[in-house]
Amino acid sequence: MAYVVAVPARLESSRLPNKVMADIGGQPMLQRVLLRCRQARQPAAVVLCTDSEVLRAAAEGWGFPVLMTSPGCGSGSERLASVVEALTARAGGAGGAAARSVIINVQGDQPFIDPAVIDAMALEFARRTPTPEVLTPIYRMPPEKIHDPNVVKTLLAADGRALYFSRSAIPHVRGEDPQQWHAHAPYWGHVGIYGYRADVLARWDGLPHSPLEHTEKLEQLRLIEAGITVGTFPVEGDFLSVDTAAQLEQARRLAAA
């Protein structure tokens, strides 16, 4: 298998404008993400995919290659799909080897992404037969996050497939105090990175319109509605994506600790 980390990023953000360049402990958030991705051992390269000349210049100044994309991309996955051939080449999977190439999508708002999780994803792809279409890491969610709509939850089948992703607490525990749901069912959080087999990512634009994706504002639901299997694997730890001002302040506190 051949692997490349691709970080989709845009400068504008509806909830937190310019968040990827927000200072966290003396470094822009995006720089932190790219540097941590570079520490992973399995991928052949770490590539920024963006429509912003500001971000392009910054990333190249930090020593990272950049692929420019259309400003019309509606999600990170769509952004990567638009340059999937170039990403496959960066992975070392050119020449018709897309089914043996994996694009690891790391969001630009995860300043503390663990490089070991990226490597664990690569090893999961290598050990599973047949090669998965899509994989994503999950973690056991602490009680205080279960009802936070800014934290994405994952509902699992018995074999570990993702049945659904939601901003709501799933499953709903009927007849119990919501603050005690954690005592009655396991809750899994979504780390927010995806591993795509390159030939599957190349199909992104041809997937049907997804009402669920539009409703929850979660791009992975397009895969679920289209019948594409999203496998999961558990990892240890707690994980922070910066989507709000409060989460940005939390990231700054963590960096200062």
Side-chain angles (χ1 to χ4, degrees):
M1 300 295 294
Y3 307 95
V4 62
V5 171
V7 179
R10 60 192 180 100
L11 198 56
E12 299 80 13
S13 174
S14 57
R15 285 189 289 180
L16 195 59
N18 302 328
K19 70 175 182 178
V20 296
M21 292 300 283
D23 181 87
I24 298 176
Q27 284 182 319
M29 178 160 57
L30 181 60
Q31 185 180 18
R32 280 182 168 270
V33 174
L34 293 169
L35 289 172
R36 292 182 75 86
C37 289
R38 182 182 274 171
Q39 294 175 33
R41 298 180 178 182
Q42 297 298 320
V46 178
V47 183
L48 176 68
C49 300
T50 186
D51 60 3
S52 167
E53 287 293 338
V54 172
L55 298 185
R56 178 196 62 76
E60 289 179 346
W62 301 327
F64 292 91
V66 179
L67 292 173
M68 297 302 293
T69 62
S70 167
C73 294
S75 68
S77 295
E78 182 179 350
R79 194 174 301 280
L80 302 192
S82 71
V83 291
V84 66
E85 291 184 4
L87 289 171
T88 302
R90 292 274 183 175
R100 299 290 295 171
S101 299
V102 174
I103 314 301
I104 299 177
N105 177 350
V106 177
Q107 306 295 333
D109 59 6
Q110 294 185 290
F112 304 105
I113 184 66
D114 186 351
V117 172
I118 296 172
D119 284 334
M121 176 177 284
L123 295 174
E124 284 293 314
F125 269 100
R127 78 173 185 83
R128 294 193 186 192
T129 303
T131 303
E133 295 179 300
V134 183
L135 280 179
T136 194
I138 57 173
Y139 65 101
R140 191 68 177 265
M141 183 173 288
E144 65 270 17
K145 286 191 172 184
I146 290 174
H147 298 284
D148 184 348
N150 295 306
V151 180
V152 178
K153 296 86 181 175
T154 312
L155 187 64
L156 303 179
D159 63 1
R161 287 177 297 115
L163 294 173
Y164 194 65
F165 298 88
S166 182
R167 298 186 182 280
S168 299
I170 48 175
H172 178 97
V173 183
R174 183 178 178 183
E176 298 291 341
D177 180 351
Q179 299 307 313
Q180 296 301 317
W181 283 4
H182 65 277
H184 301 273
Y187 287 84
W188 294 95
H190 181 222
V191 176
I193 73 174
Y194 314 95
Y196 289 105
R197 214 171 63 206
D199 60 322
V200 175
L201 181 61
R203 294 162 46 196
W204 183 270
D205 284 346
L207 297 179
H209 170 72
S210 168
L212 292 175
E213 176 190 18
H214 177 74
T215 300
E216 294 249 24
K217 300 297 187 291
L218 296 174
E219 64 201 75
Q220 62 268 44
L221 291 176
R222 181 180 300 201
L223 303 168
I224 298 290
E225 281 205 89
I228 293 174
T229 299
V230 179
T232 70
F233 63 98
V235 295
E236 295 293 330
D238 198 0
F239 298 88
L240 174 66
S241 295
V242 177
D243 288 315
T244 67
Q247 289 170 332
L248 178 57
E249 289 308 309
Q250 180 184 357
R252 287 169 170 162
R253 289 194 298 272
L254 288 172

